[in-house]
Each structure stands twice: as C-alpha cells, then as structure tokens.
Amino acid sequence: MSTNKALADFAAALVSGSIKVVDLSAPLGPETPVLYLPPEIGKNTPSVKVHEISHYDNNGPFWAWNWLELGEHTGTHFDAPVHWITGKDYKDGTTDRIPPKNFVAPVCVIDRSKESAANPDYLLTVDSIKQWESEHGAIEAGSWVLLRTDWYKRNGSAQAFLNADEKGPHSPGPTAEAIEYLLTKNIVGWGSETVGTDAGSAGGMNPPFPAHNLMHKNNRYGLASLCHLDQLPAKGAVLIAAPLKFVNGTGSPVRALALVP
Ligand code: 23J
Ligand code: MN
C-alpha cells in the first residue's frame, strides 16, 4: 500500500471538518453580471442563456437537461495565458494544455476592503504589497495572490458590480507596478472579486489592462469575480480552481474552492 502522511492527515482533517471547504464562486446564470466594453474598443461577451432540452415531458419523459449559451469569460472564471495577445504563443497556455498541478496552489489574500469601500477606484501599489508582506511574511513562489475588496457583495446587481458612469467603470484593482512586483515573486496567478482581473480604470493604464497584459505575457493565470475572500486567512489556505478542458480555450467559468484551516 502506498501512503503519504501529509495526504492521510489531510483526508482525516477534511472528514473531521478541521479543514473547511469555502466556495469562492458566484452563482452562474442569466443574472450573472458580464463585462461591458465600449463598442469602439471591441465586441462584447453575451450573458448566460439556459436553453431547455427537456423537463420530464414530451421532449424527454424521464429526464431534465439544458444546453448553455456561455462565454468563456463569464462569472467566476479563469483567464488562460492565450486570452491576451502577450501570451498568445504559449503552447501550454490554453485551458486544455495548462499543467493541472497549477490548478491547486497556496493562496495569499491581500485585504484592501476598507480602502475599496472608501474609494471604488482604489489601486493596489507595490508599497501596499510590501506592507502586507511585513505583516504576513513574503509572498512565496507558486502562490495565487488575491485582492480582497468585498466587491463580491455587489454581485447581485450588475449596475453596482460594474459601477460605471459617463467616465467609465469604477472598481478596484492593481497598478502595473504591483503586477510587475508580484511577477518577480513567481506567483502562479492573480485574482480579484471584480468582473475582470484589472481595475475599472485599467484601459487607460500603461500598458492597458496590466494584470492581463503582464500576467499572461509571463504564462501566468487570472481569476475574476471571486467571492467570499473575507472567509480566507491572509496566508495558509489552498486554492483549487480548474477551468473546463475547452480545446484551445482562452478561459472558463470555474467552481473555485479554498481549503481553509
Ligand atoms: C477582454 C478585454 C478586456 C477585459 C477582459 C476581457 C476581462 O476582464 C476578462 O474577462 O478577461 S478587462
Ligand atoms: Mn477573463
């Protein structure tokens, strides 16, 4: 028999409940808010549509099933490197070719919920990450880094979640320099509670959409529209987030889960 103490202890902790499973995904359905891009920038993704095949009726007497009309980048979702032009040539950069080991990783949670409540255009800076590291220890290679903003609490209303006015969307996110700094730490990915991994103001940054541009340029991943980051410790949890194995996929809705002590 092949055994491993860490895995046996882990299995026992799951059964006893001393390690909890926290659901980091938002409900996925027709009401799920989706990104809105001004038409001069590009075409938009559709909202989720559920098409009924049968419902224990003449179309299938003993069964119910649906088919879905679903964008890859909808709801709580994973961004693969080929999503961005800077990552387009990575052979292992599509949802079906990413090494599955990268779907399970330790997670650092930077809580800037107070700052984001005070300022919906809040941007995470390098100094702020260094401050977090002085409190919680260095960000380790192979970790996910997630920005907690409590923005997920707006998820039930597209208007509050996208938070756009005539000047564009207002939602928190990282500066380009913050992402560059995290890349020097060899993180596996960057995640947020907002509709995309970038701030609402990111279209005007240098480079535009720096979380997308820089993470994917380095064959790293993104997670957007995460929920319940307020249930995670700053350090010490493990994130499981696996995209569907779409052939040549640029992203996928995920059921993101955290294992929490
Ligand atoms: C396409 C263009 C801009 C953005 C996005 C997609 C996303 O946020 C996404 O879901 O990847 S900002
Ligand atoms: Mn995306």
Side-chain angles (χ1 to χ4, degrees):
M1 191 173 72
S2 159
T3 56
N4 172 284
K5 183 166 189 311
L7 199 51
D9 289 350
F10 167 67
L14 278 175
V15 172
S16 76
S18 68
I19 292 174
K20 286 184 305 175
V21 180
V22 176
D23 189 353
L24 306 183
S25 290
L28 185 63
E31 305 303 319
T32 299
V34 295
L35 181 72
Y36 174 78
L37 294 169
E40 60 272 21
I41 298 190
K43 194 170 161 176
N44 276 295
T45 189
S47 56
V48 176
K49 287 170 195 73
V50 181
H51 301 275
E52 188 176 295
I53 305 170
S54 75
H55 196 80
Y56 329 115
D57 55 17
N58 285 342
N59 294 321
F62 309 142
W63 52 89
W65 53 348
N66 305 308
W67 67 273
L68 301 177
E69 192 177 331
L70 178 69
E72 292 175 323
H73 298 259
T74 309
T76 305
H77 74 272
F78 187 102
D79 287 354
V82 300
H83 176 42
W84 220 253
I85 189 166
T86 49
K88 69 182 175 59
D89 294 326
Y90 286 113
K91 293 296 165 245
D92 58 353
T94 58
T95 47
D96 55 327
R97 293 201 207 98
I98 294 170
K101 122 182 230 305
N102 295 338
F103 302 145
V104 184
V107 57
C108 298
V109 181
I110 302 178
D111 177 9
R112 296 294 176 258
S113 53
K114 283 196 188 73
E115 293 78 356
S116 302
N119 173 18
D121 290 307
Y122 171 76
L123 296 178
L124 179 72
T125 62
V126 175
D127 280 350
S128 183
I129 298 172
K130 288 181 177 168
Q131 175 62 38
W132 183 94
E133 289 185 297
S134 74
E135 291 167 31
H136 303 289
I139 290 168
E140 281 150 29
S143 303
W144 277 95
V145 176
L146 310 182
L147 178 62
R148 173 184 162 195
T149 54
D150 291 350
W151 204 259
Y152 83 88
K153 294 177 182 174
R154 298 171 176 243
N155 211 304
S157 153
Q159 183 162 336
F161 192 63
L162 303 175
N163 199 36
D165 62 17
E166 59 289 345
K167 292 197 209 118
H170 301 275
S171 57
T175 60
E177 293 75 20
I179 295 294
E180 271 165 1
Y181 177 73
L182 292 172
L183 284 163
T184 68
K185 303 274 169 171
N186 265 315
I187 66 168
V188 72
W190 161 262
S192 75
E193 296 178 27
T194 49
V195 70
T197 54
D198 269 297
S201 62
M205 292 181 185
N206 182 24
F209 307 106
H212 287 83
N213 182 301
L214 302 170
M215 293 301 298
H216 302 328
K217 184 184 195 168
N218 287 278
N219 206 12
R220 305 297 150 82
Y221 318 118
L223 280 172
S225 297
L226 290 166
C227 296
H228 305 142
L229 301 188
D230 51 349
Q231 294 180 34
L232 304 190
K235 233 183 188 179
V238 171
L239 178 68
I240 304 173
L244 294 180
K245 207 165 179 171
F246 289 138
V247 176
N248 299 323
T250 74
S252 162
V254 289
R255 190 68 176 260
L257 303 172
L259 303 171
V260 178

